[in-house]
Structures are given as structure tokens and as C-alpha cells.
Short mmCIF file of all heavy atoms in Angstrom, two decimals:
data_model
loop_
_atom_site.label_atom_id
_atom_site.label_comp_id
_atom_site.label_asym_id
_atom_site.label_seq_id
_atom_site.Cartn_x
_atom_site.Cartn_y
_atom_site.Cartn_z
N LEU A 900 -5.73 6.83 -2.08
CA LEU A 900 -4.45 7.54 -1.93
C LEU A 900 -3.35 6.58 -1.53
O LEU A 900 -2.21 6.64 -2.04
CB LEU A 900 -4.61 8.66 -0.90
CG LEU A 900 -3.41 9.58 -0.68
CD1 LEU A 900 -3.89 11.00 -0.35
CD2 LEU A 900 -2.55 9.08 0.46
N ILE A 901 -3.66 5.65 -0.61
CA ILE A 901 -2.66 4.69 -0.14
C ILE A 901 -2.22 3.76 -1.26
O ILE A 901 -1.03 3.46 -1.43
CB ILE A 901 -3.21 3.89 1.06
CG1 ILE A 901 -3.43 4.83 2.25
CG2 ILE A 901 -2.28 2.75 1.44
CD1 ILE A 901 -4.18 4.21 3.40
N GLU A 902 -3.18 3.30 -2.07
CA GLU A 902 -2.84 2.42 -3.17
C GLU A 902 -1.90 3.12 -4.16
O GLU A 902 -0.96 2.51 -4.69
CB GLU A 902 -4.11 1.95 -3.88
CG GLU A 902 -4.97 0.99 -3.07
CD GLU A 902 -4.27 -0.33 -2.79
OE1 GLU A 902 -3.26 -0.65 -3.45
OE2 GLU A 902 -4.73 -1.05 -1.88
N ASN A 903 -2.15 4.39 -4.42
CA ASN A 903 -1.28 5.14 -5.32
C ASN A 903 0.14 5.23 -4.77
O ASN A 903 1.13 5.12 -5.51
CB ASN A 903 -1.84 6.54 -5.57
CG ASN A 903 -3.12 6.50 -6.39
OD1 ASN A 903 -3.36 5.57 -7.18
ND2 ASN A 903 -3.95 7.52 -6.23
N VAL A 904 0.24 5.44 -3.43
CA VAL A 904 1.58 5.52 -2.82
C VAL A 904 2.27 4.17 -2.90
O VAL A 904 3.48 4.08 -3.16
CB VAL A 904 1.46 6.01 -1.36
CG1 VAL A 904 2.81 5.92 -0.66
CG2 VAL A 904 0.93 7.43 -1.31
N LEU A 905 1.53 3.07 -2.67
CA LEU A 905 2.12 1.73 -2.74
C LEU A 905 2.62 1.45 -4.14
O LEU A 905 3.64 0.76 -4.33
CB LEU A 905 1.10 0.68 -2.29
CG LEU A 905 0.75 0.69 -0.79
CD1 LEU A 905 -0.35 -0.32 -0.49
CD2 LEU A 905 1.98 0.36 0.05
N LYS A 906 1.88 1.91 -5.17
CA LYS A 906 2.36 1.75 -6.54
C LYS A 906 3.68 2.47 -6.73
O LYS A 906 4.59 1.99 -7.41
CB LYS A 906 1.33 2.28 -7.54
CG LYS A 906 0.07 1.42 -7.64
CD LYS A 906 -0.91 2.04 -8.64
CE LYS A 906 -2.20 1.22 -8.74
NZ LYS A 906 -3.18 1.83 -9.69
N LEU A 907 3.80 3.65 -6.11
CA LEU A 907 5.02 4.44 -6.24
C LEU A 907 6.22 3.70 -5.66
O LEU A 907 7.32 3.74 -6.22
CB LEU A 907 4.84 5.80 -5.55
CG LEU A 907 6.05 6.73 -5.51
CD1 LEU A 907 6.45 7.12 -6.95
CD2 LEU A 907 5.76 7.97 -4.70
N TYR A 908 5.98 3.00 -4.52
CA TYR A 908 7.09 2.31 -3.86
C TYR A 908 7.09 0.81 -4.18
O TYR A 908 7.68 0.02 -3.44
CB TYR A 908 7.00 2.49 -2.34
CG TYR A 908 7.35 3.89 -1.90
CD1 TYR A 908 6.35 4.80 -1.56
CD2 TYR A 908 8.68 4.31 -1.84
CE1 TYR A 908 6.66 6.09 -1.17
CE2 TYR A 908 9.00 5.60 -1.44
CZ TYR A 908 7.99 6.49 -1.11
OH TYR A 908 8.31 7.76 -0.73
N SER A 909 6.42 0.40 -5.28
CA SER A 909 6.32 -1.02 -5.60
C SER A 909 7.70 -1.64 -5.84
O SER A 909 7.96 -2.76 -5.40
CB SER A 909 5.42 -1.21 -6.82
OG SER A 909 5.95 -0.49 -7.94
N ASN A 910 8.56 -0.93 -6.54
CA ASN A 910 9.89 -1.49 -6.79
C ASN A 910 10.68 -1.67 -5.49
O ASN A 910 11.38 -2.68 -5.30
CB ASN A 910 10.66 -0.58 -7.75
CG ASN A 910 10.08 -0.59 -9.14
OD1 ASN A 910 9.45 -1.58 -9.55
ND2 ASN A 910 10.26 0.50 -9.88
N LYS A 911 10.56 -0.72 -4.58
CA LYS A 911 11.28 -0.80 -3.29
C LYS A 911 10.75 -1.96 -2.46
O LYS A 911 11.52 -2.68 -1.80
CB LYS A 911 11.12 0.52 -2.54
CG LYS A 911 11.93 0.62 -1.26
CD LYS A 911 11.81 2.02 -0.68
CE LYS A 911 12.69 2.18 0.55
NZ LYS A 911 12.61 3.54 1.14
N LEU A 912 9.44 -2.15 -2.50
CA LEU A 912 8.83 -3.24 -1.73
C LEU A 912 9.21 -4.59 -2.33
O LEU A 912 9.47 -5.55 -1.59
CB LEU A 912 7.31 -3.07 -1.70
CG LEU A 912 6.79 -1.79 -1.01
CD1 LEU A 912 5.28 -1.67 -1.18
CD2 LEU A 912 7.15 -1.79 0.47
N LYS A 913 9.24 -4.68 -3.66
CA LYS A 913 9.60 -5.94 -4.30
C LYS A 913 11.07 -6.27 -4.04
O LYS A 913 11.44 -7.46 -3.91
CB LYS A 913 9.33 -5.86 -5.80
CG LYS A 913 7.86 -5.85 -6.17
CD LYS A 913 7.67 -5.72 -7.67
CE LYS A 913 6.18 -5.67 -8.06
NZ LYS A 913 5.99 -5.52 -9.52
N ALA A 914 11.93 -5.26 -3.99
CA ALA A 914 13.36 -5.51 -3.80
C ALA A 914 13.63 -6.20 -2.46
O ALA A 914 14.54 -7.02 -2.34
CB ALA A 914 14.14 -4.20 -3.89
N LYS A 915 12.84 -5.90 -1.45
CA LYS A 915 13.03 -6.52 -0.13
C LYS A 915 11.99 -7.59 0.15
O LYS A 915 11.92 -8.12 1.27
CB LYS A 915 12.97 -5.45 0.97
CG LYS A 915 14.08 -4.42 0.89
CD LYS A 915 13.98 -3.37 1.97
CE LYS A 915 14.29 -3.95 3.32
NZ LYS A 915 14.33 -2.89 4.38
N ASN A 916 11.19 -7.93 -0.89
CA ASN A 916 10.16 -8.96 -0.76
C ASN A 916 9.26 -8.66 0.45
O ASN A 916 8.97 -9.54 1.28
CB ASN A 916 10.79 -10.35 -0.62
CG ASN A 916 9.77 -11.44 -0.90
OD1 ASN A 916 8.78 -11.23 -1.62
ND2 ASN A 916 9.99 -12.61 -0.34
N ILE A 917 8.83 -7.40 0.56
CA ILE A 917 8.00 -6.96 1.69
C ILE A 917 6.54 -7.25 1.37
O ILE A 917 6.04 -6.92 0.29
CB ILE A 917 8.21 -5.46 1.97
CG1 ILE A 917 9.67 -5.20 2.37
CG2 ILE A 917 7.25 -4.97 3.07
CD1 ILE A 917 10.01 -3.74 2.52
N ARG A 918 5.88 -7.89 2.31
CA ARG A 918 4.46 -8.20 2.17
C ARG A 918 3.64 -7.08 2.80
O ARG A 918 3.90 -6.68 3.94
CB ARG A 918 4.14 -9.53 2.84
CG ARG A 918 2.68 -9.97 2.66
CD ARG A 918 2.42 -11.36 3.22
NE ARG A 918 2.59 -11.41 4.66
CZ ARG A 918 3.67 -11.90 5.28
NH1 ARG A 918 4.70 -12.35 4.56
NH2 ARG A 918 3.74 -11.94 6.58
N VAL A 919 2.65 -6.57 2.03
CA VAL A 919 1.80 -5.48 2.51
C VAL A 919 0.41 -6.05 2.78
O VAL A 919 -0.24 -6.59 1.87
CB VAL A 919 1.71 -4.32 1.49
CG1 VAL A 919 0.78 -3.24 2.02
CG2 VAL A 919 3.10 -3.76 1.22
N GLU A 920 -0.01 -5.93 4.06
CA GLU A 920 -1.34 -6.39 4.45
C GLU A 920 -2.26 -5.19 4.56
O GLU A 920 -1.91 -4.20 5.24
CB GLU A 920 -1.27 -7.14 5.79
CG GLU A 920 -0.42 -8.40 5.75
CD GLU A 920 -0.37 -9.10 7.09
OE1 GLU A 920 -0.90 -8.53 8.07
OE2 GLU A 920 0.20 -10.21 7.17
N ARG A 921 -3.42 -5.26 3.89
CA ARG A 921 -4.35 -4.14 3.89
C ARG A 921 -5.61 -4.53 4.65
O ARG A 921 -6.11 -5.65 4.52
CB ARG A 921 -4.70 -3.74 2.46
CG ARG A 921 -3.52 -3.34 1.59
CD ARG A 921 -3.94 -3.28 0.14
NE ARG A 921 -2.90 -2.81 -0.75
CZ ARG A 921 -1.94 -3.58 -1.25
NH1 ARG A 921 -1.87 -4.87 -0.91
NH2 ARG A 921 -1.03 -3.07 -2.08
N GLU A 922 -6.13 -3.57 5.39
CA GLU A 922 -7.42 -3.76 6.08
C GLU A 922 -8.15 -2.43 5.99
O GLU A 922 -8.03 -1.57 6.88
CB GLU A 922 -7.23 -4.19 7.53
CG GLU A 922 -8.55 -4.53 8.22
CD GLU A 922 -8.35 -5.07 9.62
OE1 GLU A 922 -7.22 -5.52 9.94
OE2 GLU A 922 -9.31 -5.03 10.42
N PHE A 923 -8.89 -2.25 4.90
CA PHE A 923 -9.59 -1.00 4.65
C PHE A 923 -11.09 -1.19 4.96
O PHE A 923 -11.79 -1.91 4.25
CB PHE A 923 -9.41 -0.55 3.20
CG PHE A 923 -7.97 -0.30 2.82
CD1 PHE A 923 -7.56 -0.37 1.48
CD2 PHE A 923 -7.04 0.02 3.79
CE1 PHE A 923 -6.25 -0.13 1.12
CE2 PHE A 923 -5.72 0.27 3.43
CZ PHE A 923 -5.32 0.19 2.12
N SER A 924 -11.55 -0.58 6.01
CA SER A 924 -12.97 -0.64 6.37
C SER A 924 -13.72 0.46 5.62
O SER A 924 -13.13 1.39 5.05
CB SER A 924 -13.15 -0.46 7.87
OG SER A 924 -12.44 -1.45 8.58
N GLN A 925 -15.07 0.32 5.63
CA GLN A 925 -15.89 1.36 5.00
C GLN A 925 -15.74 2.66 5.79
O GLN A 925 -15.95 2.71 7.00
CB GLN A 925 -17.36 0.93 5.01
CG GLN A 925 -17.67 -0.22 4.06
CD GLN A 925 -17.46 0.19 2.61
OE1 GLN A 925 -17.66 1.35 2.24
NE2 GLN A 925 -17.08 -0.77 1.77
N CYS A 926 -15.32 3.70 5.12
CA CYS A 926 -15.14 4.99 5.78
C CYS A 926 -15.36 6.10 4.77
O CYS A 926 -15.09 5.93 3.57
CB CYS A 926 -13.76 5.12 6.41
SG CYS A 926 -12.40 4.94 5.25
N PRO A 927 -15.83 7.24 5.21
CA PRO A 927 -16.08 8.36 4.30
C PRO A 927 -14.78 9.04 3.91
O PRO A 927 -13.75 8.88 4.58
CB PRO A 927 -16.96 9.29 5.13
CG PRO A 927 -16.54 9.03 6.53
CD PRO A 927 -16.22 7.57 6.61
N PRO A 928 -14.79 9.80 2.84
CA PRO A 928 -13.60 10.58 2.47
C PRO A 928 -13.37 11.71 3.47
O PRO A 928 -14.23 12.04 4.28
CB PRO A 928 -13.94 11.09 1.07
CG PRO A 928 -15.42 11.15 1.04
CD PRO A 928 -15.91 9.99 1.88
N ILE A 929 -12.21 12.31 3.39
CA ILE A 929 -11.88 13.44 4.25
C ILE A 929 -11.62 14.66 3.40
O ILE A 929 -11.33 14.55 2.19
CB ILE A 929 -10.66 13.13 5.14
CG1 ILE A 929 -9.42 12.87 4.26
CG2 ILE A 929 -10.93 11.95 6.07
CD1 ILE A 929 -8.15 12.70 5.07
#
């Protein structure tokens, strides 16, 4: 879900050259 949202705001993030750091541990769905 987070990756889909980041794709949605990819243009906004690129415009400000924002670096996104991810740390996704193994976790079950909700």
C-alpha cells in the first residue's frame, strides 16, 4: 500500500529531490 502511495506522489517527491528511506520488516497483513 505504501509503495502505491509513493508512486502517486512520485512527481511531488522528485520536484523537491526528496529521498525516501524504507525499512520494511517482515509483518503480517492487516
Side-chain angles (χ1 to χ4, degrees):
L900 184 146
I901 294 170
E902 290 296 344
N903 292 333
V904 173
L905 290 175
K906 290 179 181 179
L907 177 63
Y908 288 102
S909 59
N910 292 333
K911 186 174 184 179
L912 298 174
K913 289 178 181 179
K915 296 179 70 174
N916 197 25
I917 298 173
R918 184 174 65 258
V919 179
E920 297 180 354
R921 301 167 176 82
E922 186 175 341
F923 299 156
S924 302
Q925 290 295 328
C926 59
I929 62 174

